[in-house]
Amino acid sequence: MGQNQSTEGAIPGSAPGSGNVLEDLSELWPTAVASLATIFFLAFSPKVVGNFTSFFIIIGGVGFLVYTGTIASVLEVLSNMSLQEQLAHGAAVIAAHFFIGSQVYSLLGVDGWFKGKPKVLAMSKEQAQQEAKDNVTYPQTLPDDLKQAFDVCYISLAQELVNDLPSNYEMPQEVIDWISNMHDYNVKGGKLNRGRTVVEVHQRLAASTGVQKLSARELYRAAALGWCVEWLQAFFLVADDIMDDSETRRGQPCWYKKSDVKMIAINDSFLLESAVFRILKRHFGSEPYYAKLVDLFHEVIFQTELGQLLDLTSQPMTNDPHKHVVDLTRFTINRYQLIVKYKTAFYTFYLPLALGMITSGHGTASKLSLARNICCIIGEFFQIQDDYLDCFGDPKVTGKVGTDIQDNKCSWLVVQALSRADDKQKSILQNNYGQWNDSKVKKIKDLYVDMKLPELYKEYEEKTYTDVMKLIGDINDMPTEIFELAINKIYKRSK
């Protein structure tokens, strides 16, 4: 007798049995597996679509399969199989469920069944609740370009800092306008390398755990920490310009040099510092590592102020503000290293890395101590580069004409010259250093060349880079990319 089966009574849309099990299964397989797998995984993924939505996905999906006859046809095919065939194909369907479901997880950026970490940091339910509690709302999207995203975050943070001045501090509009203008003038105009480094460190540490891209929320929070470093930098620079009696900063008059500002700039520097801690409290006040962040900033501020004191007192003060005493005996290698370490290394290199480490789960005392040691070496390297480029760099490349010699600065070049000079060379240094006279400046530069200080610098640069890379290579308990990022940014730089 023939094997043809009747189609009478078939559900609309169902595939009639052909009598060939493999042929029937091949027709039903794509629709059945894809539909069932998608329903299964979305139904058990409330963190993606929510419990309420998951329920309707199940109901709608099952209804769709019943209407199209897929379920009835699958059952019909299975009834024609032997037990061994049913078990084999059942195992294949389960495998397909897991494969398709894992791809759904991957695309939606949440934890997969086979991976401990998501590819994209998505906001959890607890984080959303904390946002509501703290009255903080983060953007849903940010530009993919880091520089653009970083700039967007500044606009939001600067607005946050003045939003509550009328309600919480009874401040009139003129104060709000003053602070907004002061922030824009002093915070935005720099290279922003320190602040962006915080974000890059956060990205690299996240990538080491399998996260390919930060969510908008995580990127914003990393940028907020980066901008804290930039607000801190602005605080230092406004105060430093007053102490040094500087004229310009970043291509414009120093803040205190503006006719409508003058010594109000002293108070403004305090406001810039306070902005750091207001941002920290608003965005990280509920985090378990909040106290670590606050302590880190306080410590780095104190360290930088000590470095500034060492620098300011490297030459004796006089009663006549227009008369400068040059006492080169105070320019020692030990003093120079302390100035560089405390005035530059901690807040330029250690702070950005330490912030990213703390917020990424690498903020243990031992790891931070290791980072501090490496960053201090890199920081000294950076400042020595600056000193060298101030004297021998191309102004067309560096963007400025160096004045360390005229300003009587305790620079690496003069310290090295003094440690190697004979009596005649020391006399040249004493009689020409620290004076605004082109011919005397030339004598100092010629002396540096005669003493082969440019060659000494090249040797130092190569040795330091080799030493730092060896230290990085010995690290085995944390990602090394963040240290490579720091050293490679400055190695062989020309500006």
Side-chain angles (χ1 to χ4, degrees):
M1 294 180 63
Q3 297 298 317
N4 291 338
Q5 299 177 359
S6 172
T7 61
E8 185 178 354
I11 300 174
S14 64
S18 67
N20 186 322
V21 172
L22 294 179
E23 195 175 298
D24 286 338
L25 190 63
S26 66
E27 294 178 9
L28 302 171
W29 179 267
T31 302
V33 172
S35 301
L36 288 171
T38 303
I39 292 170
F40 178 81
F41 276 91
L42 287 179
F44 290 94
S45 301
K47 64 176 134 182
V48 180
V49 295
N51 290 317
F52 187 73
T53 309
S54 294
F55 173 76
F56 282 100
I57 287 176
I58 296 171
I59 299 301
V62 171
F64 172 77
L65 294 180
V66 170
Y67 176 78
T68 59
T70 302
I71 292 178
S73 298
V74 168
L75 293 175
E76 183 179 354
V77 170
L78 290 175
S79 68
N80 292 324
M81 292 182 180
S82 65
L83 177 61
Q84 185 178 4
E85 288 175 322
Q86 289 176 357
L87 291 175
H89 286 290
V93 169
I94 292 173
H97 281 171
F98 277 94
F99 174 76
I100 297 175
S102 66
Q103 298 308 305
V104 171
Y105 275 114
S106 177
L107 290 172
L108 293 173
V110 297
D111 291 345
W113 281 49
F114 307 111
K115 295 184 179 181
K117 295 291 182 180
K119 289 187 176 181
V120 179
L121 284 179
M123 183 170 64
S124 68
K125 181 178 179 181
E126 291 76 14
Q127 290 172 329
Q129 291 173 340
Q130 191 61 55
E131 275 192 25
K133 179 181 176 182
D134 296 340
N135 195 27
V136 178
T137 301
Y138 293 104
Q140 295 298 310
T141 60
L142 284 171
D144 290 333
D145 180 76
L146 174 57
K147 292 183 179 180
Q148 293 179 13
F150 198 66
D151 291 344
V152 168
C153 292
Y154 168 81
I155 298 172
S156 176
L157 291 167
Q159 189 60 47
E160 285 179 10
L161 289 170
V162 297
N163 277 346
D164 67 342
L165 292 182
S167 58
N168 292 348
Y169 300 96
E170 306 174 287
M171 289 295 104
Q173 188 62 42
E174 64 178 280
V175 170
I176 297 171
D177 293 342
W178 179 280
I179 292 177
S180 295
N181 180 46
M182 183 264 293
H183 285 168
D184 288 346
Y185 194 92
N186 293 290
V187 179
K188 290 200 306 182
K191 298 175 183 176
L192 307 180
N193 286 334
R194 295 170 180 84
R196 289 182 187 138
T197 296
V198 177
V199 181
E200 291 178 297
V201 168
H202 199 93
Q203 288 176 324
R204 280 164 172 74
L205 290 176
S208 71
T209 65
V211 177
Q212 297 176 358
K213 182 180 180 181
L214 299 180
S215 68
R217 177 182 185 275
E218 289 300 317
L219 179 57
Y220 187 98
R221 282 159 59 85
L225 281 177
W227 278 111
C228 282
V229 179
E230 294 299 331
W231 253 280
L232 183 66
Q233 161 86 334
F235 157 53
F236 289 148
L237 295 183
V238 168
D240 187 69
D241 286 342
I242 298 172
M243 288 181 264
D244 289 348
D245 198 24
S246 300
E247 294 289 331
T248 61
R249 169 72 65 182
R250 297 169 174 169
Q252 60 185 0
C254 295
W255 179 244
Y256 84 100
K257 283 292 184 180
K258 291 174 63 68
S259 60
D260 59 338
V261 178
K262 298 183 180 179
M263 287 302 104
I264 299 175
I266 297 174
N267 188 67
D268 288 338
S269 71
F270 302 154
L271 289 170
L272 289 165
E273 181 189 22
S274 69
V276 172
F277 296 98
R278 296 188 67 213
I279 293 173
L280 285 178
K281 184 177 181 180
R282 177 174 175 81
H283 292 278
F284 301 94
S286 60
E287 297 290 351
Y289 51 74
Y290 172 63
K292 276 190 176 181
L293 295 179
V294 173
D295 286 345
L296 175 62
F297 271 99
H298 278 307
E299 182 70 5
V300 168
I301 289 170
F302 182 56
Q303 290 165 333
T304 307
E305 290 166 345
L306 290 175
Q308 177 74 344
L309 179 62
L310 283 168
D311 191 20
L312 292 171
T313 58
S314 61
Q315 289 294 277
M317 303 296 291
T318 65
N319 292 328
D320 184 351
H322 301 291
K323 183 179 181 181
H324 300 282
V325 176
V326 178
D327 181 5
L328 298 183
T329 62
R330 299 167 71 89
F331 288 171
T332 64
I333 292 178
N334 181 61
R335 189 184 191 95
Y336 174 79
Q337 289 176 329
L338 284 174
I339 292 173
V340 168
K341 180 178 181 179
Y342 281 86
K343 187 177 179 180
T344 301
F346 283 121
Y347 96 94
T348 299
F349 291 95
Y350 175 62
L351 178 60
L353 264 68
L355 289 171
M357 289 170 63
I358 290 172
T359 56
S360 300
H362 292 279
T364 62
S366 60
K367 290 181 179 180
L368 289 174
S369 177
L370 174 64
R372 170 180 165 142
N373 292 338
I374 294 177
C375 287
C376 282
I377 297 172
I378 297 175
E380 182 175 341
F381 181 21
F382 173 80
Q383 187 58 55
I384 290 173
Q385 284 179 318
D386 254 12
D387 293 350
Y388 176 81
L389 293 172
D390 184 272
C391 183
F392 294 109
D394 183 351
K396 294 179 181 178
V397 177
T398 63
K400 64 179 181 179
V401 176
T403 60
D404 282 358
I405 295 173
Q406 298 93 313
D407 290 333
N408 194 27
K409 290 288 187 180
C410 181
S411 84
W412 182 79
L413 291 166
V414 72
V415 166
Q416 293 298 326
L418 287 167
S419 69
R420 290 166 166 74
D422 56 28
D423 291 342
K424 181 180 179 181
Q425 291 169 328
K426 285 182 180 178
S427 177
I428 294 174
L429 288 166
Q430 186 66 49
N431 293 329
N432 295 280
Y433 198 80
Q435 300 184 50
W436 284 83
N437 182 299
D438 289 345
S439 64
K440 293 189 175 187
V441 171
K442 185 177 184 305
K443 288 181 181 179
I444 296 295
K445 290 187 176 183
D446 290 344
L447 179 62
Y448 287 166
V449 172
D450 291 342
M451 298 181 74
K452 300 187 181 303
L453 294 189
E455 290 83 353
L456 181 65
Y457 167 75
K458 297 296 183 183
E459 292 174 8
Y460 164 82
E461 182 178 45
E462 293 304 321
K463 182 180 184 304
T464 301
Y465 181 78
T466 301
D467 291 345
V468 169
M469 293 306 294
K470 185 178 184 305
L471 288 173
I472 294 173
D474 291 338
I475 298 173
N476 55 24
D477 62 344
M478 65 180 296
T480 60
E481 293 91 336
I482 58 175
F483 302 107
E484 294 165 355
L485 169 70
I487 188 67
N488 289 329
K489 273 190 174 184
I490 66 172
Y491 179 55
K492 295 288 187 182
R493 70 186 178 101
S494 58
K495 61 180 180 179

